[in-house]
Amino acid sequence: MTVILGLIQALVLFAIAPLLSGITRVLRARMHNRQGPGVLQEYRDLFKLLGRQSVAPAASGWVFRLMPFVMVGVMLTIATALPLITVAAPVAGLGDLITLIYLFAIARFFFAIAGLDTGSPFTGIGASREAMLGVLVEPILLLGLWVAAQVAESTHINNITLTLYHWPVAHTLTLLLAMAACAFATFIEMGKLPFDLAEAEQELQEGPLTEYSGAGFAILKWGISLKQLVVLQMFVGVFLPWGQMVHFSPGGLVLAIVVAIAKLVLGVAIIALFENSMARLRFLKTSRVTWAGFGFAFLAFVSLLVAY
């Protein structure tokens, strides 16, 4: 039964991922004082691409063709293990934090390798930047989540979420620092300005996405939208679990669904506000900025050691 619930949850997130991307585009347009596209424009673009032929470079191999399906498959797998409506993960077997981080690393690895597989200089540069972002950001995310895991005395997302649901007051400073570090890492993992270096349209013509077209491009774009939603939900579900069900009831289910939608939309709005308030960073300055996020995570770890 839990596996079925996990699959339903993953498919729902997959279905609404372009909608949240559309909301982001609408908010960006409003902040720029222009009308912009509607919230359903992402679906129109995706369905248009799905009806077109995919063309691949002559030098590309099976990694290039397989990568969109790997991206979607990995993100759907992660989505089954995230606390969305309930405090507990639907598929508990995938709920270990180390497993989730490794799954994100697999998606990033294939994303970078597919860029190198084309032989194009644009995709190669984009792939190298994607790999660099992984090296800079994943330690921040892992250390922040590890601090929360140490407070909960478990690396399983069920126990971490339940611990933060009751919020141990003695570890407030530690958890706030860990939450700040994970929020920073989440923002970067979602590929928003000023950290969209791998897909910098003005510089690299969409980086690793340059050579994709047609149905393959549609699947990849849908997978990237799903990744953004999954990363956001992992942060919200772990660090802001209030409103999620602890015990099942019909009224609690309705309330949990409403709260889950509200948290995701609010998160997208806040991210859009930050994204459109900053200019793109120079490539060489990215590592300096990410050290700030690592500093929050390290301070959280040190405060945890002091507390114990």
Side-chain angles (χ1 to χ4, degrees):
M1 186 63 181
T2 56
V3 175
I4 296 175
L5 292 176
L7 290 174
I8 293 174
Q9 174 176 297
L11 292 175
V12 169
L13 291 177
F14 179 72
I16 67 173
L19 178 61
L20 291 184
S21 296
I23 293 174
T24 301
R25 293 176 64 173
V26 170
L27 291 174
R28 183 188 300 119
R30 294 294 184 269
M31 293 180 68
H32 293 172
N33 292 321
R34 55 187 176 85
Q35 184 175 356
V39 292
L40 299 180
Q41 185 61 46
E42 284 287 323
Y43 290 103
R44 299 188 189 100
D45 294 341
L46 290 172
F47 288 131
K48 185 188 299 182
L49 287 171
L50 285 171
R52 294 181 176 178
Q53 180 184 4
S54 295
V55 179
S60 64
W62 63 271
V63 176
F64 176 83
R65 294 172 175 81
L66 185 63
M67 192 270 284
F69 301 98
V70 172
M71 175 68 74
V72 172
V74 169
M75 292 307 139
L76 285 174
T77 303
I78 298 174
T80 62
L82 297 180
L84 177 63
I85 304 300
T86 62
V87 174
V91 182
L94 296 173
D96 188 83
L97 286 181
I98 299 176
T99 302
L100 295 178
I101 295 297
Y102 269 111
L103 288 172
F104 279 116
I106 289 173
R108 188 186 297 277
F109 173 77
F110 270 88
F111 192 70
I113 293 300
L116 297 174
D117 193 36
T118 63
S120 167
F122 290 113
T123 56
I125 295 173
S128 66
R129 290 187 175 188
E130 182 69 22
M132 186 206 70
L133 281 176
V135 171
L136 294 175
V137 176
E138 286 178 4
I140 302 173
L141 185 63
L142 183 59
L143 186 55
L145 292 173
W146 182 257
V147 170
Q150 289 297 305
V151 172
E153 298 182 349
S154 172
T155 59
H156 202 283
I157 199 168
N158 286 0
N159 299 328
I160 298 173
T161 305
L162 187 61
T163 300
L164 268 67
Y165 185 86
H166 297 289
W167 195 267
V169 179
H171 297 290
T172 295
L173 177 60
T174 300
L175 291 175
L176 287 177
L177 290 171
M179 184 168 65
C182 286
F184 182 71
T186 298
F187 183 79
I188 300 176
E189 284 283 7
M190 293 180 69
K192 302 297 185 179
L193 282 172
F195 297 102
D196 62 335
L197 299 169
E199 298 88 36
E201 296 91 341
Q202 291 86 344
E203 302 173 47
L204 304 177
Q205 302 177 2
E206 290 282 354
L209 311 181
T210 303
E211 301 294 344
Y212 282 96
S213 61
F217 188 38
I219 295 171
L220 181 55
K221 284 177 65 69
W222 207 317
I224 292 174
S225 297
L226 180 60
K227 178 187 176 181
Q228 295 176 352
L229 180 58
V230 164
V231 171
L232 177 60
Q233 179 54 43
M234 185 173 70
F235 171 75
V236 171
V238 171
F239 286 97
L240 302 170
W242 303 286
Q244 297 165 203
M245 286 193 303
V246 179
H247 304 290
F248 178 80
S249 65
L253 177 61
V254 174
L255 178 61
I257 293 174
V258 172
V259 171
I261 295 173
K263 287 193 290 187
L264 287 175
V265 172
L266 181 61
V268 167
I270 293 173
I271 289 169
L273 177 64
F274 277 98
E275 180 185 15
N276 291 279
S277 301
M278 295 179 285
R280 178 176 286 110
L281 284 174
R282 290 184 60 191
F283 174 68
L284 297 178
K285 290 186 177 181
T286 307
S287 59
R288 303 176 189 176
V289 177
T290 54
W291 274 108
F294 186 81
F296 279 112
F298 184 73
L299 285 175
F301 183 70
V302 171
S303 66
L304 181 66
L305 293 178
V306 172
Y308 280 107

